[in-house]
């Protein structure tokens, strides 16, 4: 069988297995609960299953992208009403909604049709609003989702021709609990598949570091948007099935408060983990019910005790375990790691394309400060060029200009025949420049191997003209094989630096741009780094441009050294030449002495 | 002309209360990058404090001091109990912590006092008015504007002249640099919370003088407006918060005075519209009207 087909089948099978195991656990708990009490207990199980679907829907977006949304309930609301207007039989519908627009008056679908219709409507609405949400950054997406929630809420209350206002709609044919179990299974499988899929991995990378992901060729918008759309689909399923389980819809079902309830489930369980989402849904649904029974119906505080429980639980979890009860522990993830086999790709160094990296006449001003003043640099194919200079010489600024993070006022950047002068970080990375960062930017909550595997995934998709790399060989080169399944955040400083190198290498770039790869390392470690960086570059046939303060490291590793001072090139030449140059001694070594 | 002056006066009256709250939110955002959703609860705390003291023979002569004191204490307490421990966590965690506090506050007032509104007496002079030419001046408006003006001038002096104020402003620009300069993080943040509490306490006094009652969720409406004002002004910008608050107050009053038809019709969608505006603001000018730049070092 084709390797790719085989891989897709494995991913799907794994997702289905994880989902089934999680849901089976829930089923055992639910059966034990309903078997010991009256039929009112069935209602709680219904509630828990819809909650579970909603949490899973939120997890797909919030958990994978790290962007907080208060507005998911708005879309569940849209789906619930979309279900109502097509699922209620025509006769009753004409009575309740005599002026129903869009020619919906005579439409009537069965349960499957209504669900499909609701998902379609929600996807159209959600995907449109999602464009704005996924383009925004910082706090903006959260505020926009909040706006969406209020707008939908007011539309539902006021667009009476379609929704009958505050009273809501009833008479939706009620479906059995089997639909809810089925829906929960579908939701879990979809969410697991998304986490396994390439685009899902990319979304997770943007969550972990929104600057490092683009520098590896991952587009923030595309991956976030994919997560948003999938999340909308699951939320719509949940909203529609909830309406069909209750038999009615009203504006009070999907409010900010109910959204926060779901959010609490997500953060209590651990938002990065799907197992956590399931755990949260079960725990919070049960806890809320328990506290509801503490309330005194006479004093009307029946809703208040659950509120104390929710607020208190959320506060305690935030203070004591901000990553949630499970953190990164996830059944699906565990299964994936267990099933990871050693990569059997043989890395072959590609035939050199002969492309050189050239930056010429670069000028950058920050306000009145001239960081770069007509500076330039050239790195030939397979060449290792060291860039040194005192603090403020403009070394990192040059890196940032080349990789598209800082815009130059003048000057051109070329990679072979390719003009990268105006390129974005994503385009630069895909064109074949991979960088590391001075102040480490790893995907902290992912394992060492997953960090490297992510760049390999980008390479597979966007740099397929280069031969594939063997992740495990790269890890061995970097001396990280024994830590492959540790979280990146738990590594010591030197290993984190080596991991950044391995991650950049896995992109199979034409050039590696290393920003102070030995900073914070001991002398022996930085000596070893010479060999590691050389080995990594040789394995993928890449040239290297490296900045460092450690003159010993730079002279050992470089074929050619360029010295910057005050935004300009001061000198260049072989390591020996540069050492002998009195200008360099004065500007650079002198200032160090 | 009369209507213009009247609207102007009313708008500045409401807007200055928004400004006091927005300033507190902006201040906290400046020192710890947190949009504090629990900030509105300080008003609730102030109102319930007033209610309890009036139950036991309170008087408006000393009530403002008590309200302000309660708000300051509550603000510092939230920092000590909750926010201190999540200071280095993600903005997500901090935001949810403040949300949790808000929920908890609502629920606790409901359980331990009552879900219903609890009224208390208002100051005798509050609805007095004097007429100047054709403009009717409500004493309360004048008091509001006067108190706010004094508070803002005082705030400006504190932030420009005192060591604490300079430390807070420094921390808002760049906390790490401020720390290197010897600014003590704990003290600055506690101080910022105390100051935000003071501003919220003053706002609470002005609010309960107008509508002397306490209600569990009363803080949330004000909070929403204050967050909007702070966002319009640019989170972290102090002058921006004040101008944002005034702008929002004037906008509301003028819309009601000059476009009453549109205002009523749009009232059904008011929250939605306000939020769309805020969302647009975020997309088109994420830094607010007044820029506080934070360049990230890479």
């Amino acid at each position: 069988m084709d390797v790719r087909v085989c891989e897709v089948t494995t991913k799907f099978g794994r997702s289905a297995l994880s989902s089934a195991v999680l849901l089976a656990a829930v089923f055992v708990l639910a059966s034990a609960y309903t078997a010991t009490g009256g039929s009112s207990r069935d209602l709680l199980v219904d509630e828990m299953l819809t909650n579970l679907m909603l949490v899973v829907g939120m997890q797909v977006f919030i958990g994978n992208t790290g962007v907080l949304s208060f507005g998911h309930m708005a879309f569940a609301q849209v789906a619930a009403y979309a279900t109502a207007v097509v699922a209620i039989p025509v006769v009753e519908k004409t009575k309740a909604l005599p002026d129903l627009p869009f020619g919906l008056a005579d439409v009537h679908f069965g349960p499957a049709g209504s669900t499909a219709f609701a998902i379609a409507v929600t996807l159209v609405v959600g995907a449109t609003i999602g464009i704005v949400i996924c383009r925004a950054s910082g706090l903006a997406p959260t505020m926009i989702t909040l706006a969406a929630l209020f707008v939908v809420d007011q539309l539902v209350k006021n667009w009476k021709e379609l929704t009958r206002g505050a009273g809501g709609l009833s008479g939706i044919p009620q479906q059995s609990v089997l639909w809810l179990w089925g829906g929960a299974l579908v939701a879990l499988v979809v969410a697991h598949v998304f986490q396994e899929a390439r685009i899902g991995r990319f979304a997770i990378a943007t969550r972990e570091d929104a600057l490092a992901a683009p520098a590896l060729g991952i587009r923030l918008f595309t991956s976030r948007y994919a997560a948003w759309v999938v999340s909308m689909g699951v939320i719509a399923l949940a909203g529609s099935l909830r309406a069909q389980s209750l038999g009615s819809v009203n504006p009070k079902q999907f409010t900010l408060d109910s959204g926060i309830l779901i959010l609490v489930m997500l953060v209590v369980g651990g938002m990065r983990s799907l197992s956590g989402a399931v755990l949260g849904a079960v725990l919070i649904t049960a806890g809320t019910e328990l506290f509801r029974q503490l309330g005194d119906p006479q004093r009307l505080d029946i809703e208040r005790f659950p509120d104390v429980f929710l607020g208190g639980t959320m506060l305690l979890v935030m203070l004591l375990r901000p990553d949630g009860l499970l953190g990164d522990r996830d059944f699906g993830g565990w299964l994936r790691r267990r099933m990871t086999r050693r990569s059997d790709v043989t890395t072959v160094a590609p035939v050199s394309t002969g492309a050189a990296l050239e930056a010429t006449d670069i000028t950058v001003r920050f306000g009145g400060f001239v960081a770069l003043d007509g500076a330039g640099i050239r790195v030939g194919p397979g060449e290792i060029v060291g860039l040194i200079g005192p603090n403020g010489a403009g070394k990192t600024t040059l890196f940032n200009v080349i990789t598209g993070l800082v815009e130059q006022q003048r000057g051109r950047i070329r990679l072979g025949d390719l003009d990268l002068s105006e390129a974005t970080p994503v385009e630069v990375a895909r064109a074949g420049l991979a960088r590391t960062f001075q102040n480490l930017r790893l995907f902290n909550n992912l394992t060492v191997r997953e960090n490297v595997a992510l760049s390999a995934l980008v390479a597979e998709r966007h740099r397929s003209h280069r031969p594939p790399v063997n992740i495990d060989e790269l890890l061995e080169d970097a001396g990280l094989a024994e830590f492959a399944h540790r979280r990146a955040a738990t590594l010591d400083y030197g290993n984190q630096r080596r991991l950044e190198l391995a991650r950049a290498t896995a992109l199979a770039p034409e050039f590696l741009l290393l920003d102070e790869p030995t900073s914070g390392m001991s002398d022996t470690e930085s000596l070893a780094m010479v060999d590691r960086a050389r080995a990594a570059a040789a394995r993928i046939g890449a040239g290297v441009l490296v900045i460092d303060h450690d003159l010993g490291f730079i002279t050992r590793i470089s074929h050619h050294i360029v010295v910057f001072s005050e935004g300009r090139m001061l000198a260049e030449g072989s390591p020996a030449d540069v050492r002998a140059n009195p200008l360099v001694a004065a500007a650079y070594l002198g200032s160090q002495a | 002309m009369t209507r213009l002056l009247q609207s102007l006066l009313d708008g500045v009256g409401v807007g200055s209360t928004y400004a006091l709250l927005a300033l507190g939110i902006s201040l906290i955002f400046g020192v710890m990058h947190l949009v504090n959703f629990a900030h509105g609860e300080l008003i609730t705390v102030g109102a319930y404090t007033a209610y309890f003291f009036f139950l036991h023979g309170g008087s408006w002569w000393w009530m403002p001091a008590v309200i302000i004191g309660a708000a300051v204490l509550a603000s510092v307490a939230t920092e000590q109990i909750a926010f201190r421990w999540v200071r280095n966590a993600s903005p997500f965690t901090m935001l949810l912590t403040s949300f949790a506090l808000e929920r908890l506050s609502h629920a606790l007032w409901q359980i331990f006092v009552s879900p219903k509104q609890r009224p208390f007496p208002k100051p005798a002079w509050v609805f007095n008015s004097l007429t100047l030419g054709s403009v009717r001046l409500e004493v309360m408006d004048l008091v509001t504007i006067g108190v706010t003006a004094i508070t803002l001038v005082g705030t400006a002096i504190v932030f420009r002249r005192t060591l604490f104020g300079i430390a807070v402003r420094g921390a808002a620009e760049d906390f790490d640099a401020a720390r290197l300069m010897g600014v003590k993080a704990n003290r600055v943040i506690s101080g910022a919370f105390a100051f935000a509490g003071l501003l919220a306490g003053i706002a609470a006094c002005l609010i309960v003088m107008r509508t002397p009652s306490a209600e569990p969720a009363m803080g949330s409406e004000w909070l929403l407006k204050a967050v909007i004002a702070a966002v319009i002004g640019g989170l972290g910008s102090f002058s921006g918060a004040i101008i944002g608050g005034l702008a929002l107050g004037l906008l509301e009053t003028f819309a009601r005075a000059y476009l009453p038809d549109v205002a009523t019709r749009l009232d059904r969608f008011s929250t939605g519209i306000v939020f769309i505006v805020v969302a647009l603001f975020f997309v088109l000018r994420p830094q607010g009207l007044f820029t506080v730049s934070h360049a990230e070092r890479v």
Side-chain angles (χ1 to χ4, degrees), chain A residues 216 433-436 452 455 474 499-509 511-514 540:
Chain A
L216 289 173
L433 301 181
R435 73 171 292 174
T436 65
V452 181
S455 334
L474 289 184
L499 177 53
E500 267 218 334
L501 172 68
R503 189 180 65 177
T505 313
L507 193 61
F511 290 95
L512 282 166
L513 278 63
L514 310 178
I540 52 161

Side-chain angles (χ1 to χ4, degrees), chain A residues 511-587:
Chain A
F511 290 95
L512 282 166
L513 278 63
L514 310 178
D515 196 349
E516 301 206 9
T518 69
S519 104
M521 279 188 174
S522 69
D523 286 350
T524 28
E525 277 183 316
S526 87
L527 263 185
M529 193 67 178
V530 173
D531 294 331
R532 293 197 196 285
R534 283 202 159 152
R539 208 180 260 291
I540 52 161
V544 180
L545 175 59
V546 50
I547 300 177
D548 214 294
H549 276 300
D550 184 345
L551 208 63
F553 171 75
I554 285 285
T555 46
R556 270 191 192 83
I557 195 171
S558 311
H559 302 132
H560 188 83
I561 293 179
V562 177
V563 188
F564 268 28
S565 175
E566 291 173 1
R568 253 174 287 203
M569 188 200 280
L570 185 70
E572 64 174 325
S574 70
D577 290 347
V578 167
R579 273 188 178 237
N581 192 326
L583 273 176
V584 178

